[in-house]
Amino acid sequence: MASRRAARKANPDARMALRDHLVELRKRITRAAIGIIVGAVAGWFLYTPVYEAVQAPVLELAARDDALVTVNFGGLASALDMQLKVAVILGIIISSPWWLYQLWAFVAPGMRQVERRYTIGFMAAAVPLFFVGISVAWFVLPQAVTILVGFTPEGAANVLDAQMYLTFAMRLLLAFGLAFVFPVLMVALTWARVVPARVWARGWRWAILIIALAAAMLTPTPDAITMLMLAAPMTVLYFVAIGVGYLRERQRARKKASEADEESEAGL
């Protein structure tokens, strides 16, 4: 006990650094939360067109197969509860440029001033890729609905619970968006010399395991098809990010070697 106390007294800077990081983390989370709340207000007014767009695959499937497939609100307050949940998820999507910046800003203070120029590159890549992920999920959604509803026995009705279906659709969009952003964060950390590419490469087995677990948790249904639809692009993007990191490190090494050669020639 005394040794711990002595260690803390001997290294007060470590405690101050930890406290500063926690304060910075709280500040960034608070700002991100405010942005999401503002986005959720906009999401509340966008609920009707979004609901109609999300319901469209179900109605198209019912019309194509001449089957009873519909979305049902089973409780008195379920419609209001669902609108609140969808508004929050829409708020996360709408405010993505803001909270992605807060994520990067939490990492940026620990970097040298010259490395903060990567902020523009991170935002320019992360925000479009987030929406690319959402677009891919929007394409996957009708396919997932068709596959899952296709298991309904002939002559039976499939009355989808609105809570389950809308949560499935919204979480699918959000999961794909986040999955497409993570490789950008990997590349940014490699370019900023925080995590070398070889570290990402050495941990590929663990990465695939974590990707599989994340896909299982992020997808709102327990079926393997939807999980694989998310895990496959996440795995591909993980290795693409490693490749981009290696290319950057090789470019940096060649530049350093060239500068060393120029200095040696100037010395001669």
Side-chain angles (χ1 to χ4, degrees):
M1 191 70 170
S3 61
R4 289 182 182 177
R5 212 175 277 138
R8 284 197 296 266
K9 289 181 180 179
N11 193 11
D13 292 339
R15 286 186 296 164
M16 291 181 63
L18 178 60
R19 190 183 303 117
D20 291 341
H21 280 300
L22 292 175
V23 170
E24 179 70 14
L25 178 62
R26 184 178 62 184
K27 181 176 73 173
R28 296 300 172 185
I29 291 176
T30 301
R31 290 182 179 181
I34 292 172
I36 291 172
I37 291 171
V38 173
V41 173
W44 175 271
F45 295 101
L46 292 172
Y47 171 76
T48 299
V50 169
Y51 170 72
E52 291 174 353
V54 171
Q55 189 187 26
V58 176
L59 299 179
E60 291 172 4
L61 183 63
R64 189 190 68 189
D65 297 343
D66 193 23
L68 179 56
V69 183
T70 186
V71 177
N72 177 61
F73 288 90
L76 183 63
S78 59
L80 174 61
D81 181 55
M82 200 63 249
Q83 185 165 349
L84 288 171
K85 290 180 179 178
V86 171
V88 171
I89 295 176
L90 288 175
I92 295 173
I93 295 172
I94 293 169
S95 65
S96 58
W98 174 248
W99 58 257
L100 281 170
Y101 171 75
Q102 298 305 319
L103 171 66
W104 179 252
F106 176 67
V107 180
M111 301 178 185
R112 296 192 297 271
Q113 186 66 33
V114 69
E115 292 168 340
R116 295 185 186 179
R117 70 181 184 272
Y118 296 141
T119 300
I120 297 175
F122 174 79
M123 295 299 296
V127 174
L129 275 176
F130 180 78
F131 287 103
V132 167
I134 289 175
S135 301
V136 172
W138 193 259
F139 170 77
V140 168
L141 178 62
Q143 320 304 323
V145 170
T146 301
I147 292 171
L148 296 176
V149 174
F151 289 100
T152 304
E154 187 176 351
N158 197 326
V159 181
L160 303 176
D161 179 71
Q163 292 270 6
M164 183 278 295
Y165 178 67
L166 290 177
T167 301
F168 165 76
M170 292 292 101
R171 283 181 59 184
L172 189 68
L173 296 177
L174 196 57
F176 270 78
L178 293 174
F180 276 64
V181 167
F182 181 70
V184 182
L185 184 61
M186 287 174 56
V187 171
L189 292 174
T190 299
W191 281 38
R193 298 186 179 95
V194 176
V195 182
R198 65 178 181 276
V199 173
W200 299 115
R202 287 174 183 170
W204 69 269
R205 294 179 182 84
W206 284 104
I208 291 177
L209 176 61
I210 293 171
I211 286 171
L213 293 174
M217 289 187 292
L218 287 172
T219 49
T221 57
D223 65 285
I225 297 173
T226 310
M227 188 191 80
L228 289 174
M229 285 179 177
L230 178 59
M234 286 178 70
T235 303
V236 171
L237 288 171
Y238 178 83
F239 286 105
V240 169
I242 292 175
V244 173
Y246 270 123
L247 289 175
R248 175 59 179 172
E249 289 181 341
R250 286 185 179 181
Q251 181 185 16
R252 188 180 291 144
R254 284 196 299 265
K255 183 178 179 181
K256 189 175 180 180
S258 176
E259 290 175 352
D261 291 341
E262 290 177 0
E263 289 178 1
S264 62
E265 289 176 2
L268 293 175

